[in-house]
Amino acid sequence: MKPFTYARPSSAAEAIGAFSAAGAGARYIAGGTSLYDLMKLDIERPQHLIDVTGIAGLDRVETAGDQLRFGALVPMSVAAGDETLLRDYPLLAEALWKAASQQLRNMATVGGNLFQRTRCMYFRNGNGNLSTVGAAPCNKREPGAGCAAIGGLDRGQAVLGQSASCNAVSPGDWPVALTAMDAAVELLGPDGPRTAPVAGLYRLPGATPHLEFALKPGEIVTAITVPKTPAGRRSTYHKIRDRESYAFALASAAVALEMEGDRVASARIALGGVATRPWRASAAERMLVGRRIDADSSMEAGRAALAGARAGRHNGFKIELAARTVADALLIAARRTA
Ligand SMILES: Cc1cc2nc3c(=O)[nH]c(=O)nc-3n(C[C@H](O)[C@H](O)[C@H](O)COP(=O)(O)OP(=O)(O)OC[C@H]3O[C@@H](n4cnc5c(N)ncnc54)[C@H](O)[C@@H]3O)c2cc1C
């Protein structure tokens, strides 16, 4: 690990000031469950850590009014156990408690979760210490180096949104559920405050996979907001993985439905585990409007969600798995009462 300085400011303005003063090499840190991990692997090498956990007022879940508002420092475990989420927005609670382990969820923040980096083993194996693949090139880690995952051991890699430079999966569960719910982030930076859709935070890899997030330098997320909708009650986050807990998604689907009688008035569907960013399945959403949710319509929607998918050497199974995950999620959500 390389030496770094550490500061723990007590306000967002102070944190942004510290970031600007530190210049290149500064990074914010919250729970540290992602960033410290990557520092130990010698993939992230920040020279200045600015710990945001001392900032007051960012640790509350607010559910009054027409939106849900999560302060960026709310621990994942706290949001996962919030009674409004459990009752009215099960997809949000499920996306959180199906992620990582209880210990990690106690440390990790809902803001930091948005910016965790890919679990692609070629990306994480910069120094060749992880024995499975040895040291191998990665465009995300070292722009222009090449991508060993393309044509390599790609069982876990993306089938949607990949480019000739990168097929690494966007790993988070929470951003997938937030994307389905049209969530937004409140940001504060050197140029002042702004809001942005969560979906817009994630870049496709294209020719620049090292540029992952659409944040301006020095910007900090202060809160995440989710517009309230009756679709929240008929919702689920369905996550399929190699083992039933403490594993990243092979495929996941965040689904929320608004019904008129037994017909779909509107559907929200986003996919995780299969794409290079949280993946909204708009065509599948549209084709369900006016339909009943049954075995046929849900499977049709699942296939529509994966329509543009392209498999590599070992990950073709993900296309069928994800289609079925969407179908199952729709059936689960439809059974829930509004
Ligand atoms: C073994 C293991 C298993 C896991 N399994 C899962 C899983 O199944 N599903 C899943 O979704 N996640 C999983 N995770 C990831 C975990 O959820 C994330 O590490 C965690 O959410 C990151 O939050 P943090 O507060 O610790 O972020 P940190 O590590 O502190 O920061 C992560 C990144 O976010 C930036 N950041 C932090 N806060 C802010 C802010 N307020 N504004 C701007 N930038 C900020 C930091 O600069 C850094 O780049 C797993 C992690 C581990 C170690």
Side-chain angles (χ1 to χ4, degrees):
M1 197 170 348
K2 309 282 181 295
F4 55 88
T5 67
Y6 173 85
R8 191 167 184 265
S10 55
S11 72
E14 233 181 278
I16 292 159
F19 194 102
S20 303
R27 294 296 297 275
Y28 293 122
I29 188 153
T33 61
S34 177
L35 188 50
Y36 284 137
D37 202 16
L38 291 170
M39 287 167 69
K40 288 186 217 161
L41 290 171
D42 201 24
I43 290 164
E44 294 265 17
R45 296 168 190 151
Q47 288 147 12
H48 309 283
L49 282 187
I50 299 159
D51 183 342
V52 296
T53 58
I55 301 175
L58 303 188
D59 57 353
R60 283 194 291 272
V61 180
E62 295 163 64
T63 57
D66 58 0
Q67 64 178 14
L68 308 170
R69 189 167 181 281
F70 303 88
L73 295 179
V74 172
M76 288 170 70
S77 56
V78 170
D82 183 272
E83 61 184 36
T84 302
L85 260 61
L86 289 166
R87 188 187 59 233
D88 295 340
Y89 298 88
L91 87 166
L92 296 177
E94 290 168 4
L96 289 162
W97 66 252
K98 290 182 181 180
S101 65
Q102 185 64 22
Q103 291 92 333
L104 283 160
R105 292 190 294 270
N106 287 341
M107 284 298 293
T109 62
V110 295
N113 186 278
L114 301 176
F115 304 110
Q116 63 174 299
R117 304 190 68 190
T118 184
R119 307 300 288 195
C120 170
M121 62 184 170
Y122 294 98
F123 167 76
R124 286 175 62 81
N125 200 23
N127 53 19
N129 281 347
L130 307 174
S131 58
T132 337
V133 290
C138 169
N139 287 320
K140 208 181 258 307
R141 212 176 51 232
E142 196 189 330
C147 173
I150 296 174
L153 296 173
D154 63 2
R155 176 177 182 270
Q157 303 299 114
V159 293
L160 287 164
Q162 67 273 49
S163 70
S165 301
C166 182
N167 60 5
V169 161
S170 178
D173 295 301
W174 172 234
V176 177
L178 292 175
T179 296
M181 296 302 280
D182 293 322
V185 282
E186 295 176 3
L187 295 154
L188 195 60
D191 300 332
R194 70 177 177 110
T195 58
V198 166
L201 290 177
Y202 301 95
R203 296 171 185 264
L204 285 171
T208 54
H210 59 293
L211 302 176
E212 296 171 301
F213 307 111
L215 281 184
K216 296 180 190 166
E219 274 188 328
I220 185 175
V221 171
T222 53
I224 299 164
T225 57
V226 179
K228 283 192 177 171
T229 160
R233 284 212 168 183
R234 276 209 177 93
S235 75
T236 191
Y237 184 75
H238 193 43
K239 178 173 176 180
I240 306 299
R241 39 195 161 165
D242 279 326
R243 44 170 200 262
E244 225 353 79
S245 80
Y246 200 22
F248 286 87
L250 285 171
S252 69
V255 161
L257 295 170
E258 249 183 293
M259 307 293 288
E260 273 170 19
D262 63 353
R263 307 276 169 166
V264 174
S266 73
R268 296 152 178 271
I269 305 172
L271 304 178
V274 288
T276 51
R277 69 176 182 201
W279 197 263
R280 190 83 185 248
S282 308
E285 293 174 350
R286 283 193 298 273
M287 61 146 291
L288 284 172
V289 174
R291 307 273 303 267
R292 291 192 185 90
I293 297 290
D294 56 26
D296 290 339
S297 65
S298 60
M299 202 56 226
E300 251 180 78
R303 301 232 183 277
L306 273 295
R310 283 181 295 119
R313 286 174 67 200
H314 309 290
N315 61 356
F317 76 99
K318 279 193 169 192
I319 298 176
E320 182 67 14
L321 181 68
R324 288 176 182 273
T325 305
V326 170
D328 283 355
L330 286 164
L331 292 169
I332 294 166
R335 278 199 299 270
R336 293 189 165 161
T337 44

